[in-house]
Amino acid sequence: MKVSDFAKERPLLDPVNYFTGQTSSSGVMENRGGAPQEIVKTWTSGRREGEVLVLEQDLQLGQKKQHRSWRIRRLDAHHFSATANDLVGTATGEASGNVFTWSFTLALSLGNPLANVRMTQWMYLQPDGRTLVNHSTIRKLGIVVAQVTEEFRKQ
């Protein structure tokens, strides 16, 4: 499906509005065969600095913890770009109706391009306007190596 296929779905998902303030998530990472591997949790604080949404995100994958700092820009009514401390290049995204999707290259080991993976996320805002279901696909050399399903809650 294309993002535009969701244009009539409600409530509208504006990722800048949704992630301004506090959000948290909980979910599971599955290996390429679909077996659960690790619990995923995030805690995010978003604030606007002019035209930029600054997100400070603490992630926990199993026992491993890390921090990601995002800077997200709205390009037009439907398109977004972002950078983060562990991204290679720029993330690009599109929103329509209750859906937002984006993709980016994540550096699992900074300075080691062989450790990079490609992530694609599809986010679906639920009817309550506070719950967002996210499905991430993680690829290495074009092959799916893991998937994450998580539920975000706006505080």
Side-chain angles (χ1 to χ4, degrees):
M1 296 187 78
K2 300 177 294 195
V3 177
S4 59
D5 292 339
F6 294 88
K8 294 181 181 177
E9 298 298 323
R10 298 295 181 266
L12 289 175
L13 173 54
D14 177 343
V16 171
N17 287 338
Y18 185 83
F19 286 104
T20 296
Q22 306 293 316
T23 58
S24 61
S25 75
S26 182
V28 63
M29 177 179 275
E30 300 171 339
N31 68 15
R32 63 181 286 160
Q37 295 297 296
E38 294 184 293
I39 299 297
V40 177
K41 295 181 181 183
T42 67
W43 300 268
T44 305
S45 176
R47 70 183 185 285
R48 295 185 194 193
E49 291 182 359
E51 298 295 315
V52 175
L53 173 63
V54 177
L55 286 181
E56 298 298 335
Q57 184 177 51
D58 292 310
L59 301 98
Q60 184 173 344
L61 181 59
Q63 297 303 311
K64 182 180 174 187
K65 296 179 180 182
Q66 66 185 84
H67 182 82
R68 183 171 295 140
S69 295
W70 291 93
R71 296 184 64 77
I72 301 170
R73 294 182 186 278
R74 181 187 311 276
L75 302 176
D76 61 33
H78 298 283
H79 296 92
F80 299 82
S81 69
T83 57
N85 55 300
D86 56 355
L87 262 58
V88 177
T90 303
T92 58
E94 183 177 0
S96 185
N98 70 334
V99 170
F100 175 66
T101 184
W102 64 352
S103 59
F104 49 89
T105 299
L106 184 64
L108 297 180
S109 176
L110 293 176
N112 180 1
L114 297 176
N116 295 348
V117 295
R118 188 76 180 159
M119 291 193 65
T120 303
Q121 295 183 315
W122 281 81
M123 300 177 179
Y124 306 88
L125 187 59
Q126 300 304 293
D128 67 4
R130 300 178 62 79
T131 306
L132 184 139
V133 175
N134 176 49
H135 182 77
S136 301
T137 303
I138 304 165
R139 290 180 172 84
K140 177 85 173 166
L141 302 173
I143 299 169
V144 174
V145 295
Q147 296 185 70
V148 176
T149 303
E150 64 188 317
E151 178 181 274
F152 281 86
R153 292 286 299 164
K154 184 157 182 69
Q155 307 302 314

